[in-house]
Amino acid sequence: MAPLAIVGEDLGASKRKREVDEHGKRKRAKRDRILSSTTVIDGEAPQETTASQANGLPVSSEHPDSAIANPVNSNALITKDRRQHRTKKGERSQARGDNSSAWRISVPMGGRMLNIDPILTEDEKHLILAYNTSIQVYSAAESLLVRKISLSRLAREDSREQIVAICPSPSSPNNVWVASSAGHLWSIDWTNGSGSKTALRLKGGFLCDLTVERMQIGRDFRDVPLASIKKKETWQLVACDIQGGKLEGSKVLLTWATPFQNLRSVRNGYALAASTERTVLLGALRTREVDSIQGLDYEFFTFDCSDDIICLDVRATDRVHLNRKSQVETGDELVVDIVVGCARGAVFFYNDLLPQLHRLHSSKAHRSSLQPRKYHWHRRAVHAVKWSRDGHYIISGGSESTLVLWQLDTQKMDFLPHLSATIENIVVSKRGSAYVLHLDDNSTMVLSTAEMKPTTYVSGIQTLLSPQPFSKDDVVRRVGQYATTRLFKTPAAVSPTDPSRIHLCVGNGKQISYSASGPSTPMIQTLDLTTMQGISKQALTRTNPTDVNVTAKGYAITEPRITSMAYSADGKWLATTDEWQPPTRDVNSLEGPSAERREVYLKFWAVSPEDQSLELVSRINAPHYTGRSEQIYGLAADPCTHRFATIGEDGVVRMWEPAVRQRDGVLVKGKMGRQLLSWSCSQTIYLREKEEPADADAVAVRVSQRSSGAVSFSEDGSTLVCAIGTAKESAQGSMIYVIDTESGKIRISLDGLARGEIRDIRVLSSCLIVLSDHLMVYDLVIDEPLYGVQLRENEDPHHPGASILTHMAVDHRTSTLAVAVSRGKADSPTILSELAIFTPDRSEPEMVHRFPHPITSVVPSVGSSGYLVLDSAAQLWSVSEGMDTKSLAFAQPLVDLKLDQEDAEVPQEAAESSLALLAEGDDEPASGDEMDIDIPDDAAGEEDSAYPAVVPPQRLAELFDAAPAFAMPPIEDMFYQVTKLFSSKSAVSTS
């Protein structure tokens, strides 16, 4: 395991009790004698051994159905004397290691939709979307995933390719063309996935765009891909000759110094359009009949635009002559119109370009320039622009979350406002009856053009991406733009009442979520794990996604960020904490730092039992206040009662409980006579002496010290453990406290267990687990540390300290803990991330697995064993122990369920089961319409006992209650298991 190395250094955690007695002194002296013989270990050799063993784990680079990580059996780095002291515990650990089954890691589900035009099939029944390593087919009627077509070449761990374009085949409605950035080309039948294993390699380097046109080559019409490929220092527009699945040849149509973007083609290749920076290129086919690709010849025209070009669209229509003069001048050439969207919000419409360009390039013509129509409504870049099918409208969209329809004849505009996020792509269906909108919050919708209402909605995981993706608005550098390479933890939780849903803190799209004071996540998204679709999204803080969200100086107005969330044990309450502070630029003229004006809120939400919606019950302003709003380091829920605990920067732990709401001594009731509750602080526990700075300099010193903390309840809720620490340069060190929740008294205080920034603290059985720059497991019963794991430090020499992002989760069902470590240089796009699973009684990890993207959240599964892992690419992974039937199972495409295959082959076992069910004894004579069935001789003796089988109800209960509905095996497997019960000899026969 690369970022983890087991060491025995600095395990001598000294313990101080407030009520010191003689028994405690003897116990502490005995522990010191034991640990004094184990603190000196050769550090380098054991670390290298452990790392090499962990790196040797057989992890598949390509995604199979599930990856299996075997238990790690590395040599323990604990000295012999210490193992003898823990003989019994070591024996149990060894037994567990020998019998432990392999951990299973599912294939990733979810992911981010690429900034590529979606495909709506000709019959408008299916929607095809592009992801990083696959294309996914959805049903337009149900918005459910029908088929996921993975591209194995892109799924490799060492591959940096990604899909750059998908195009429908003009010749075959069942085929799509897929191009990757490395120049690979696939022709895939999206109805069955064929063709995804065979890729054609185009000559050249980087491929940035692709379009496919149906052209007549010789006597036949076939698809001709047109690609923009980099070759050496120039970019080429290449036409590819593909016959029989092979690349027979290609022809370079045009060479340019900058890449060709927004490739478009119309009317069987009659005209080609593209853009490069501020230049529009338009090519007209010289001759309609060619014998080969080499005969293609285009006449290209270029004209400049007054702004950077972001998107364009082209259309060609038949020319209508109003008089003989126009017929003589222009002939029968098509009318080619182009609409261009620019980086500063302007939309330019060029009408009937070819005759004008011919006149401009004619030597006899008077020199002039093109005069397009200009439309301007967007405040920022026009992200997408398209023609309507009848050519009467221009459809555009951008960061205003509004769809704009420009009517050309009347110069009027129609709006569809208040969409959920920035519009990235627009597609008009072939019939013209639907618009497809791809939004930057990882969702796609299909709108009916008649009613402008959504008929299909596909919503994926909408968490923040890392690194921050490029935006079309970034073409023009604006004030207030914010870019960071720092990783942020994503607060996530699973409701105890509905384990099939996970709740994630998200923003209003990837562009609005990045502001000058850091990323903002004011929303909570509910994701259904059975379909991997977003069910709902609710604002938990103030938001302004569609209002005027910029200041008078052009700065973006920032939104709060949810820092933590936790459900109560019964799932009826949700507690959240959120923070906001003004950007430094807004308080430069004021006294004091920006942190002095920080806003911190603790909110309690009532969860609706019907639809799991949230209702705000209480809001606590500045729950930890010392002259200013202090940060909340940790939030924990009591697993037994309605109680929450918080720990703040002020070094105080507060417990919060509900009380019946009263007004002037009278109970306040809500709708339907429901009793209303309000939350308030029930206990305040001071962990260290209160600090009251006397002047502003003292406040500045406290702000500069990086403090950290965490809090957690024990499994029975009787004990609260918390950790508070300061920066390394501070005089105060990190302390761990064990508190009695009933009396609020500190029973035990420990130091030396945490080093550096405190990330998390948990209680698992009798063990206290502290995660800081290293992982420490401490047994509260025997009063001694069990083991420690040093997390490898950040490899960036300019930013010393722990790894970039480290967090932990505990699963009480399996009595394990999962630690996720992401490391690498802070400004590097490549960040290594690994997940290790430990048990409290073993220092060797049971499983180590490397993930292709940094892990941003780890939560234990509810109702089943294992963990849910979320990475920075918006992918969700399931980690379960062995072949546990209760482990979480993600949604499967409908085609994998084989629900629509009526003629599927029936396995032999199922066929025998069916015969067993049909072999019923019947004394009535068979009618002439019944079929005679020959019974084998060996079954003739059992004819008398061929009665319908009766299965005990407990057998069916064991089968159907083995896991929640979302975690059940496929329905096909369930059918075979039920039929096997009825046909097995263990079934009880009726007499």
Side-chain angles (χ1 to χ4, degrees), residues 501-553:
R501 298 180 179 182
I502 185 173
H503 306 271
L504 308 168
C505 292
V506 301
N508 286 303
K510 61 185 180 182
Q511 301 305 323
I512 301 179
S513 299
Y514 292 95
S515 58
S517 59
S520 60
T521 53
M523 315 281 288
I524 182 172
Q525 181 195 19
T526 302
L527 186 74
D528 189 350
L529 297 175
T530 61
T531 60
M532 290 306 296
Q533 295 271 351
I535 298 177
S536 62
K537 190 166 67 170
Q538 182 175 348
L540 301 187
T541 68
R542 64 177 182 271
T543 59
N544 48 354
T546 57
D547 299 331
V548 178
N549 48 20
V550 293
T551 64
K553 295 183 178 181

Side-chain angles (χ1 to χ4, degrees), residues 622-932:
H624 294 265
Y625 186 78
T626 58
R628 68 172 189 179
S629 297
E630 303 287 356
Q631 285 184 309
I632 297 178
Y633 289 143
L635 172 68
D638 192 324
C640 298
T641 62
H642 290 166
R643 178 167 53 184
F644 293 91
T646 60
I647 184 171
E649 189 178 4
D650 55 351
V652 177
V653 174
R654 300 183 187 272
M655 295 191 187
W656 309 86
E657 296 186 59
V660 178
R661 187 178 301 179
Q662 296 183 0
R663 181 181 301 153
D664 297 332
V666 180
L667 299 179
V668 179
K669 295 185 178 181
K671 298 179 180 179
M672 307 299 294
R674 182 169 58 93
Q675 195 175 53
L676 299 181
L677 302 175
S678 61
W679 287 76
S680 60
C681 180
S682 59
Q683 290 188 25
T684 301
I685 305 167
Y686 292 92
L687 303 180
R688 57 189 183 189
E689 296 182 0
K690 296 181 62 177
E691 299 178 4
E692 296 292 341
D695 51 17
D697 295 336
V699 175
V701 171
R702 287 184 54 194
V703 172
S704 63
Q705 293 179 352
R706 293 176 51 206
S707 187
S708 57
V711 65
S712 178
F713 282 92
S714 62
E715 296 182 41
D716 58 358
S718 62
T719 303
L720 181 71
V721 296
C722 55
I724 189 71
T726 56
K728 294 181 179 179
E729 61 270 13
S730 176
Q732 292 180 333
S734 300
M735 294 291 297
I736 311 296
Y737 301 91
V738 180
I739 304 171
D740 185 2
T741 57
E742 295 300 327
S743 62
K745 295 182 178 180
I746 299 176
R747 297 302 184 187
I748 303 174
S749 59
L750 304 167
D751 63 356
L753 294 183
R755 182 167 52 194
E757 182 180 358
I758 296 174
R759 311 300 178 89
D760 203 352
I761 186 171
R762 299 286 177 172
V763 177
L764 184 59
S765 185
S766 62
C767 295
L768 175 66
I769 305 168
V770 183
L771 180 67
S772 57
D773 285 359
H774 69 296
L775 176 69
M776 178 64 68
V777 180
Y778 190 93
D779 196 318
L780 295 173
V781 175
I782 64 176
D783 283 346
E784 67 176 44
L786 300 184
Y787 63 86
V789 177
Q790 176 66 45
L791 307 182
R792 181 172 297 177
E793 293 186 348
N794 191 352
E795 294 182 351
D796 189 355
H798 301 290
H799 297 82
S803 303
I804 294 178
L805 185 63
T806 306
H807 38 112
M808 175 178 63
V810 170
D811 184 15
H812 295 286
R813 287 178 175 265
T814 58
S815 297
T816 59
L817 58 137
V819 179
V821 179
S822 300
R823 63 182 180 89
K825 294 184 178 180
D827 56 352
S828 173
T830 303
I831 298 178
L832 301 179
S833 186
E834 292 185 353
L835 180 73
I837 295 181
F838 294 87
T839 56
D841 51 3
R842 295 190 65 191
S843 59
E844 297 87 0
E846 288 197 346
M847 186 274 290
V848 181
H849 185 78
R850 175 173 293 181
F851 287 80
H853 302 281
I855 297 174
T856 58
S857 183
V858 179
V859 295
S861 301
V862 176
S864 60
S865 62
Y867 303 89
L868 294 176
V869 179
L870 176 71
D871 64 17
S872 62
Q875 296 181 129
L876 203 60
W877 309 66
S878 173
V879 181
S880 58
E881 187 177 16
M883 299 300 293
D884 185 8
T885 57
K886 295 184 179 181
S887 61
L888 181 67
F890 285 147
Q892 292 182 341
L894 296 179
V895 67
D896 294 344
L897 299 178
K898 301 180 180 179
L899 300 178
D900 54 351
Q901 297 184 7
E902 299 178 358
D903 299 331
E905 296 182 1
V906 181
Q908 183 67 22
E909 181 181 354
E912 294 175 0
S913 302
S914 302
L915 291 178
L917 292 174
L918 294 175
E920 299 179 3
D922 193 352
D923 296 337
E924 297 180 2
S927 64
D929 296 334
E930 294 179 344
M931 181 182 297
D932 295 333

Side-chain angles (χ1 to χ4, degrees), residues 536-615:
S536 62
K537 190 166 67 170
Q538 182 175 348
L540 301 187
T541 68
R542 64 177 182 271
T543 59
N544 48 354
T546 57
D547 299 331
V548 178
N549 48 20
V550 293
T551 64
K553 295 183 178 181
Y555 296 107
I557 298 177
T558 60
E559 296 176 339
R561 179 170 65 95
I562 301 174
T563 56
S564 58
M565 59 188 296
Y567 273 97
S568 62
D570 55 4
K572 294 182 179 179
W573 295 96
L574 175 69
T576 62
T577 61
D578 60 85
E579 298 180 2
W580 178 86
Q581 69 181 43
T584 305
R585 63 168 184 267
D586 294 341
V587 295
N588 284 335
S589 59
L590 304 176
E591 294 183 359
S594 175
E596 294 295 326
R597 293 165 177 81
R598 181 191 297 119
E599 297 178 5
V600 182
Y601 298 103
L602 172 64
K603 300 177 182 178
F604 298 95
W605 307 79
V607 182
S608 172
E610 290 81 12
D611 55 359
Q612 301 294 311
S613 61
L614 303 177
E615 178 186 359

Side-chain angles (χ1 to χ4, degrees), residues 230-497:
K230 183 178 182 180
K231 191 171 183 180
K232 295 182 180 181
E233 299 300 327
T234 61
W235 289 84
Q236 297 179 347
L237 180 58
V238 180
C240 304
D241 183 13
I242 299 178
Q243 303 180 36
K246 296 182 179 180
L247 181 62
E248 301 293 341
S250 62
K251 181 180 180 180
V252 178
L253 302 179
L254 184 64
T255 301
W256 207 259
T258 54
F260 300 98
Q261 303 284 352
N262 303 307
L263 285 177
R264 300 291 184 268
S265 177
V266 292
R267 288 294 185 99
N268 298 331
Y270 175 82
L272 300 178
S275 65
T276 61
E277 297 180 349
R278 294 195 173 195
T279 303
V280 178
L281 297 95
L282 179 62
L285 190 62
R286 296 180 185 272
T287 175
R288 296 293 186 91
E289 297 181 358
V290 294
D291 296 331
S292 64
I293 289 290
Q294 302 301 325
L296 287 178
D297 189 14
Y298 279 87
E299 181 184 8
F300 283 94
F301 303 92
T302 62
F303 56 93
D304 294 333
C305 189
S306 60
D307 197 359
D308 292 318
I309 299 173
I310 301 298
C311 53
L312 65 80
D313 195 22
V314 60
R315 67 186 296 262
T317 58
D318 296 327
R319 184 177 299 276
V320 177
H321 298 287
L322 300 179
N323 49 53
R324 183 176 294 275
K325 181 179 179 181
S326 64
Q327 184 176 7
V328 172
E329 292 179 352
T330 59
D332 293 331
E333 73 176 359
L334 301 179
V335 177
V336 178
D337 300 332
I338 291 182
V339 59
V340 177
C342 297
R344 291 171 176 82
V347 176
F348 294 99
F349 165 42
Y350 297 88
N351 182 33
D352 197 8
L353 272 173
L354 287 180
Q356 300 182 58
L357 293 173
H358 282 297
R359 287 195 297 268
L360 287 176
H361 288 78
S362 175
S363 59
K364 299 181 180 180
H366 178 68
R367 289 294 177 182
S368 61
S369 61
L370 296 175
Q371 298 297 327
R373 296 186 191 177
K374 181 180 180 180
Y375 305 93
H376 201 152
W377 180 86
H378 298 278
R379 296 196 300 263
R380 294 191 176 188
V382 182
H383 288 212
V385 64
K386 283 292 188 295
W387 286 102
S388 64
R389 285 300 172 192
D390 56 10
H392 295 164
Y393 289 89
I394 296 174
I395 305 105
S396 64
S399 57
E400 300 81 10
S401 303
T402 300
L403 185 69
V404 184
L405 290 87
W406 311 80
Q407 190 173 5
L408 299 181
D409 294 339
T410 61
Q411 306 296 315
K412 293 183 178 180
M413 292 185 296
D414 292 329
F415 301 96
L416 181 64
H418 303 295
L419 298 175
S420 60
T422 299
I423 299 175
E424 291 290 349
N425 303 94
I426 301 174
V427 173
V428 181
S429 67
K430 193 170 184 178
R431 300 176 182 175
S433 60
Y435 298 148
V436 183
L437 305 183
H438 169 223
L439 310 180
D440 81 333
D441 64 350
N442 204 29
S443 66
T444 299
M445 66 173 64
V446 179
L447 296 175
S448 170
T449 57
E451 301 177 353
M452 297 301 289
K453 293 182 178 180
T455 59
T456 304
Y457 184 70
V458 178
S459 175
I461 302 174
Q462 300 179 357
T463 53
L464 297 180
L465 299 181
S466 180
Q468 180 180 348
F470 175 78
S471 171
K472 298 173 183 177
D473 292 332
D474 297 338
V475 174
V476 177
R477 185 66 182 175
R478 293 178 171 85
V479 296
Q481 284 186 337
Y482 175 80
T484 180
T485 57
R486 181 184 173 189
L487 284 174
F488 290 88
K489 182 180 178 180
T490 300
V494 180
S495 173
T497 58

Side-chain angles (χ1 to χ4, degrees), residues 85-317:
H85 180 72
R86 295 164 49 205
T87 303
K88 295 182 179 180
K89 189 175 292 292
E91 291 175 355
R92 292 196 302 267
S93 303
Q94 187 65 31
R96 179 182 177 91
D98 294 339
N99 299 327
S100 176
S101 58
W103 284 79
R104 297 174 58 86
I105 300 179
S106 69
V107 296
M109 295 298 294
R112 272 283 181 175
M113 304 173 190
L114 296 180
N115 188 6
I116 297 174
D117 286 349
I119 297 176
L120 188 63
T121 57
E122 291 186 5
D123 55 6
E124 300 183 3
K125 292 184 178 180
H126 293 89
L127 180 66
I128 305 175
L129 304 176
Y131 290 76
N132 286 333
T133 60
S134 65
I135 59 173
Q136 299 185 11
V137 183
Y138 290 84
S139 170
E142 295 87 7
S143 302
L144 295 178
L145 178 62
V146 176
R147 181 175 286 102
K148 180 180 179 180
I149 305 174
S150 299
L151 304 178
S152 58
R153 181 179 294 273
L154 306 184
R156 297 173 181 172
E157 185 177 356
D158 57 347
S159 175
R160 295 189 177 182
E161 290 185 68
Q162 69 172 7
I163 298 174
V164 296
I166 59 171
C167 303
S169 172
S171 302
S172 175
N174 293 340
N175 281 25
V176 293
W177 290 88
V178 181
S180 73
S181 56
H184 290 103
L185 199 62
W186 292 265
S187 177
I188 301 175
D189 188 341
W190 60 265
T191 60
N192 54 29
S194 61
S196 60
K197 304 297 183 182
T198 306
L200 302 176
R201 182 69 165 87
L202 304 184
K203 296 180 180 179
F206 185 79
L207 188 149
C208 68
D209 203 359
L210 176 80
T211 187
V212 180
E213 189 56 65
R214 180 174 179 265
M215 296 185 182
Q216 184 177 3
I217 307 297
R219 297 182 179 180
D220 302 326
F221 283 90
R222 63 172 180 261
D223 290 350
V224 177
L226 303 168
S228 171
I229 303 178
K230 183 178 182 180
K231 191 171 183 180
K232 295 182 180 181
E233 299 300 327
T234 61
W235 289 84
Q236 297 179 347
L237 180 58
V238 180
C240 304
D241 183 13
I242 299 178
Q243 303 180 36
K246 296 182 179 180
L247 181 62
E248 301 293 341
S250 62
K251 181 180 180 180
V252 178
L253 302 179
L254 184 64
T255 301
W256 207 259
T258 54
F260 300 98
Q261 303 284 352
N262 303 307
L263 285 177
R264 300 291 184 268
S265 177
V266 292
R267 288 294 185 99
N268 298 331
Y270 175 82
L272 300 178
S275 65
T276 61
E277 297 180 349
R278 294 195 173 195
T279 303
V280 178
L281 297 95
L282 179 62
L285 190 62
R286 296 180 185 272
T287 175
R288 296 293 186 91
E289 297 181 358
V290 294
D291 296 331
S292 64
I293 289 290
Q294 302 301 325
L296 287 178
D297 189 14
Y298 279 87
E299 181 184 8
F300 283 94
F301 303 92
T302 62
F303 56 93
D304 294 333
C305 189
S306 60
D307 197 359
D308 292 318
I309 299 173
I310 301 298
C311 53
L312 65 80
D313 195 22
V314 60
R315 67 186 296 262
T317 58

